[in-house]
Amino acid sequence: MIIRKSEAEIEKMARAGVVVRGCLDLMAGEVRPGVTTKELDGLAERYIRSKGGVPTFKGYRGFPGSICASPNDMVVHGIPDKTRLKDGDILGVDVGVTMDGYIADAAMTFPVGEISEVAERLLRVTEESLMRGIAQCRVGNRVGHISHAVQNYVEGNGFSVVQSMVGHGVGREMHEDPQVPNFGPPGQGPELREGMVIAIEPMVNEGGFEVEMGDDSWAIYTKDGSLSAHFEHTVAITKKGPRILTGSNSEKNVREPN
Ligand code: MG
């Protein structure tokens, strides 16, 4: 069942989105050779709580971290640990924040120091595929329009999209209907309607699309060991078009409740 949100609910999610954005901006400045993902996790948690938010991921089905930190061939769901980042790595950071009962969710993949040309291209293509998916978030389109736009752009650039994990509706729960796959034909899936809020999150592999789970039953890796990138935004469907709740201008986006 798809739960559409009122304008007041979307404003609450936008306020959570501001904290998600602030946390990712903080991470952008802290991701560097020598730092551990556990240290990043501590910084993120302190930041989120200082803003009055709760790190949504912490305790979710027993997940121990406040962020997911997924380096290199890890696709998503990395538990922050003593892994020390080194020059040339890439690091996916996924952040969820609950404020006043409502959730926003976003992710970025950061370069660590100087990265290879192909890694740089993987990051660029993945982020652009997300933006192309978001551009399809128009009332009357279907979820498949988003999926198709992402897949088309990624595969046109010689990379592959992960198929076994998908984006999702978001609201009071982190994972609501509908599922938002990053692949498939444009005419499929539920129709996009005003008040729907979805997290779109392309996971893009340098090599094949196949993935496998790590020994900790959380981390997902590319099967062929190639690099993987992940970008995500929480997006509200409005009659004026897509409204990114976790974007860089999210602070200005929050409207005062009337
Ligand atoms: Mg998500």
Side-chain angles (χ1 to χ4, degrees):
M1 186 190 59
I2 296 173
I3 304 165
R4 291 156 72 198
K5 279 77 186 175
S6 68
E7 275 180 40
E9 289 178 302
I10 290 174
E11 292 318 311
K12 287 185 182 179
M13 296 182 73
R15 280 192 278 279
V18 171
V19 181
V20 170
R21 179 75 261 153
C23 185
L24 285 168
D25 289 347
L26 173 70
M27 294 293 105
E30 297 292 341
V31 169
R32 66 172 81 92
V35 73
T36 69
T37 54
K38 182 86 190 161
E39 287 163 351
L40 295 173
D41 186 66
L43 290 168
E45 177 168 11
R46 277 197 293 282
Y47 175 83
I48 292 167
R49 294 195 191 278
S50 78
K51 299 294 176 185
V54 173
T56 312
F57 300 167
K58 192 154 197 170
Y60 181 83
R61 294 184 181 163
F63 189 81
S66 291
I67 59 171
C68 297
S70 310
N72 300 326
D73 64 332
M74 199 190 288
V75 181
V76 286
H77 300 167
I79 296 175
D81 62 11
K82 56 185 194 301
T83 301
R84 208 168 280 285
L85 299 177
K86 55 187 195 312
D87 194 48
D89 285 347
I90 59 173
L91 181 73
V93 177
D94 197 340
V95 178
V97 171
T98 309
M99 297 257 292
D100 203 8
Y102 287 84
I103 295 166
D105 182 11
M108 293 183 74
T109 302
F110 299 108
V112 183
E114 191 96 5
I115 62 172
S116 70
E117 217 168 286
V118 65
E120 226 166 79
R121 206 165 64 79
L122 180 69
L123 266 48
R124 261 202 324 271
V125 167
T126 307
E127 185 167 29
E128 176 62 20
S129 76
L130 169 61
M131 299 322 287
R132 287 178 185 231
I134 291 171
Q136 295 298 320
C137 289
R138 309 228 158 244
V139 172
N141 269 359
R142 290 185 178 273
V143 167
H145 286 91
I146 301 167
S147 312
H148 182 72
V150 170
Q151 181 177 28
N152 205 35
Y153 185 74
V154 168
E155 293 182 354
N157 279 280
F159 297 131
S160 64
V161 287
V162 172
Q163 305 201 350
S164 56
M165 288 170 296
V166 297
H168 50 92
V170 55
R172 284 186 168 278
E173 301 292 334
M174 181 157 62
H175 295 122
E176 297 183 355
D177 287 337
Q179 293 200 335
V180 183
N182 297 303
F183 62 97
Q188 271 185 3
E191 191 175 321
L192 300 177
R193 298 176 66 192
E194 194 180 351
M196 284 171 62
V197 184
I198 55 177
I200 304 173
E201 48 178 325
M203 290 153 257
V204 175
N205 297 350
E206 179 197 352
F209 72 91
E210 298 92 345
V211 296
E212 58 191 15
M213 189 177 273
D215 292 336
D216 65 7
S217 297
W218 277 106
I220 304 291
Y221 295 88
T222 59
K223 203 162 192 175
D224 60 12
S226 67
L227 293 175
S228 187
H230 178 216
F231 283 81
E232 175 181 28
H233 274 309
T234 295
V235 181
I237 315 292
T238 80
K239 52 178 182 285
K240 287 184 283 183
R243 178 176 169 200
I244 302 176
L245 302 183
T246 49
S248 49
N249 57 351
S250 55
E251 200 133 8
K252 289 182 217 109
N253 249 335
V254 176
R255 288 156 210 158
E256 287 309 310
N258 42 23

